[in-house]
Amino acid sequence: LPDVWSPKLLAGKTVLLTAGAGYEAIDPVRGITNISSGQMGAALARACRRAGAAVRLVYGKMSVPLPAGLARAQQALSAREMLDAVMENLDGADVFVAVAAVADYRIANASAQKIKKSDAAPVLALAENPDILQTVAALPNAPFCVGFAAESENLLVHARAKRVKKNVPLLVANQVSDAMGKATNRIVLLDAFTETALPEMGKDDAADTIVRRIADLLPQTAL
Ligand code: CTP
Ligand code: CA
């Protein structure tokens, strides 16, 4: 894929990514997570690196090794921890890519001690988590923001609405069954003007395609 490496499409740029599955503790040994493997986020981090960017990764639960050559890497399991880590690593970032499958809700009544089995089943109360992507995209000096949409039905309808609601210039939409936990993906790229449906491909190839689109859309810095 020579057109990604020469010229290096993201040379001189800094990219911050989130990746992996969120984890919200119920008690010290249990929690709520999801089936994200971190493969797409790791592939995108590698693709950004190959394209010449300095890459910072904030990651939750990863079922694959961290990519090599990261400028910074920080684990953050819960949505609130991930938001804090993202804010701490935003300085100088030109691009923010939210790949992580963040939990929309946390446990409001999490227990500091292991919950003991008892006659009455425990009741978990949920509280809404902050939306990291939407928060970053709303900042006054927001980097170029890229979101993902994982849908199990009505992919394009939900993805279009998500891109507008979060106010991001580029959204990568995928069907949960095509993407999560798999080595391949079938993505649709949505920006304000075009929707590009791509065939199923390996996640490294999907990541290169996304990087090319980011480089095309990224506001050019004055020379
Ligand atoms: N996202 C985020 N913070 C959250 C939830 C989601 O940054 N608390 C980001 C994801 O990383 C992804 C995008 O928002 O880039 C869309 O995530 P998704 O779960 O598909 O959409 P939601 O807006 O959470 O809507 P829903 O789960 O109801 O489909
Ligand atoms: Ca969600």
Side-chain angles (χ1 to χ4, degrees):
L1 301 153
D3 49 337
V4 175
W5 335 128
S6 62
K8 291 194 181 297
L9 291 176
L10 297 177
K13 304 291 184 191
T14 296
V15 180
L16 172 64
L17 302 106
T18 66
Y23 179 89
E24 304 289 335
I26 295 171
D27 72 11
V29 291
R30 308 178 179 103
I32 292 186
T33 185
N34 60 67
I35 65 168
S36 168
S37 59
Q39 289 177 91
M40 193 67 236
L44 255 171
R46 284 193 301 270
C48 290
R49 181 82 203 95
R50 286 195 299 267
V55 179
R56 303 173 184 171
L57 185 66
V58 172
Y59 60 97
K61 281 174 76 76
M62 302 282 285
S63 311
V64 293
L66 285 189
L70 297 171
R72 301 184 193 174
Q74 189 174 328
Q75 189 169 41
L77 291 172
S78 73
R80 291 191 297 179
E81 285 167 355
M82 192 172 271
L83 176 60
D84 288 347
V86 162
M87 297 308 284
E88 284 165 22
N89 286 287
L90 261 181
D91 58 290
D94 302 287
V95 179
F96 174 61
V97 192
V99 197
V102 184
D104 294 331
Y105 300 94
R106 66 179 172 275
I107 311 299
N109 55 347
S111 171
Q113 304 302 331
K114 185 182 170 203
I115 298 169
K116 302 303 289 178
K117 189 159 58 179
S118 68
D119 291 343
V123 176
L124 300 178
L126 301 179
E128 193 172 348
N129 273 330
D131 190 300
I132 299 162
L133 176 61
Q134 200 165 329
T135 304
V136 172
L139 292 172
N141 283 313
F144 182 86
C145 287
V146 182
F148 271 70
E151 308 295 345
S152 64
E153 58 178 355
N154 302 325
L155 178 69
L156 288 176
V157 171
H158 288 313
R160 286 175 196 134
K162 225 167 250 189
R163 196 190 68 77
V164 171
K165 180 180 180 213
K166 305 201 185 207
N167 193 27
V168 294
L170 179 61
L171 192 98
V172 183
N174 47 213
Q175 195 81 24
V176 168
S177 54
D178 288 336
M180 292 181 86
K182 294 184 66 177
T184 56
N185 201 351
R186 204 154 68 89
I187 58 173
V188 183
L189 299 177
L190 298 93
D191 62 35
F193 309 103
T194 58
E195 295 179 0
T196 312
L198 293 146
E200 181 178 329
M201 59 181 95
K203 283 186 171 172
D204 286 317
D205 289 337
D208 284 338
T209 307
I210 295 164
V211 165
R212 266 186 227 106
R213 181 58 62 90
I214 291 172
D216 281 346
L217 294 173
L218 198 56
Q220 295 301 305
T221 40
L223 292 173

